[in-house]
Amino acid sequence: QVTSFQGIAVRSLCSSSPHEHPEHGRLVYKGNLAKAVLGVKFFSYSTSIFNLFMMPYIMLKTGIGFDSVVLEAAFYGVIGFFTFVTPVTLHVLTKGYVVRLYYKDDIDTYTAITYNVILAEKATVFHQKDVKIPDITKMFTTFYAKTKSMLVNPSLFLNIQDYNHLMGYDKSLYFKLEEEKEAEEKK
């Protein structure tokens, strides 16, 4: 693949298409809120860290004092609560948001890329048979990969057949009945 850059021919070192990743497989899904999730979490973390370092300074410089130790402890407790609860809540709500989803056809495995606590990308590898759809629709869960909840937007899949295969909708009803029958026989 050769592209031109200001009259100079530049050869690309990438041999695969932009929708393929050599380690994870073919890109089947790309979340459109990835940058927003990363930005909001980064902003929340940075304001909490700023608050953590600036509150003692502000308290010393303003001379805010309390007559009661209980009132002072309650005040610092409220400040600390909001300093730590906001980033933790954001992480809990967004930890299952799938940034990218790759699929390897030959071994029928998916690799979901999510953000971890320190805002680094985390890869979760699972098989289609590990996918469980919750019986009751949950707010931040589309499916479970093994035991981890994952959130995807079905309309953002590059090919709807990939979504159907992920969720197991491409299996026939007869096949599902056979699986249930085998499960009951094992009991």
Side-chain angles (χ1 to χ4, degrees), residues 119-136:
L119 305 179
E121 289 187 349
K122 177 184 174 188
T124 303
V125 180
F126 58 95
H127 291 277
Q128 192 284 322
K129 64 184 176 190
D130 297 328
V131 173
K132 303 285 185 252
I133 301 169
D135 295 333
I136 300 170

Side-chain angles (χ1 to χ4, degrees), residues 8-162:
I8 301 171
V10 179
R11 184 166 299 271
S12 173
L13 298 176
C14 181
S15 60
S16 60
S17 74
H19 293 294
E20 289 189 21
H21 190 278
E23 184 181 338
H24 303 305
R26 177 176 53 92
L27 180 69
V28 295
Y29 173 83
K30 188 171 182 179
N32 62 350
L33 296 176
K35 287 183 180 179
V37 167
L38 188 64
V40 167
K41 285 176 86 169
F42 179 77
F43 179 74
S44 176
Y45 288 176
S46 61
T47 56
S48 291
I49 291 169
F50 179 78
N51 189 26
L52 204 61
F53 286 112
M54 291 305 293
M55 275 321 278
Y57 178 76
I58 291 170
M59 292 299 180
L60 287 173
K61 289 295 180 182
T62 59
I64 296 176
F66 296 98
D67 295 335
S68 169
V69 175
V70 175
L71 189 60
E72 187 174 0
F75 178 75
Y76 287 127
V78 168
I79 297 294
F81 177 79
F82 287 109
T83 299
F84 293 109
V85 167
T86 304
V88 169
T89 303
L90 276 172
H91 175 68
V92 167
L93 294 177
T94 62
K95 70 180 176 181
Y97 181 74
V98 177
V99 177
R100 291 182 311 278
L101 185 67
Y102 296 95
Y103 177 64
K104 276 193 173 180
D105 295 320
D106 52 345
I107 54 176
D108 196 29
T109 58
Y110 289 91
T111 303
I113 307 296
T114 57
Y115 292 126
N116 65 10
V117 174
I118 59 170
L119 305 179
E121 289 187 349
K122 177 184 174 188
T124 303
V125 180
F126 58 95
H127 291 277
Q128 192 284 322
K129 64 184 176 190
D130 297 328
V131 173
K132 303 285 185 252
I133 301 169
D135 295 333
I136 300 170
T137 306
K138 298 195 175 182
M139 187 175 287
F140 296 103
T141 303
T142 307
F143 64 93
Y144 291 100
K146 297 179 182 175
T147 58
K148 185 174 179 177
S149 67
M150 300 281 179
L151 176 65
V152 295
N153 183 347
S155 65
L156 295 178
F157 274 80
L158 303 175
N159 186 351
I160 194 66
Q161 281 76 23
D162 289 323

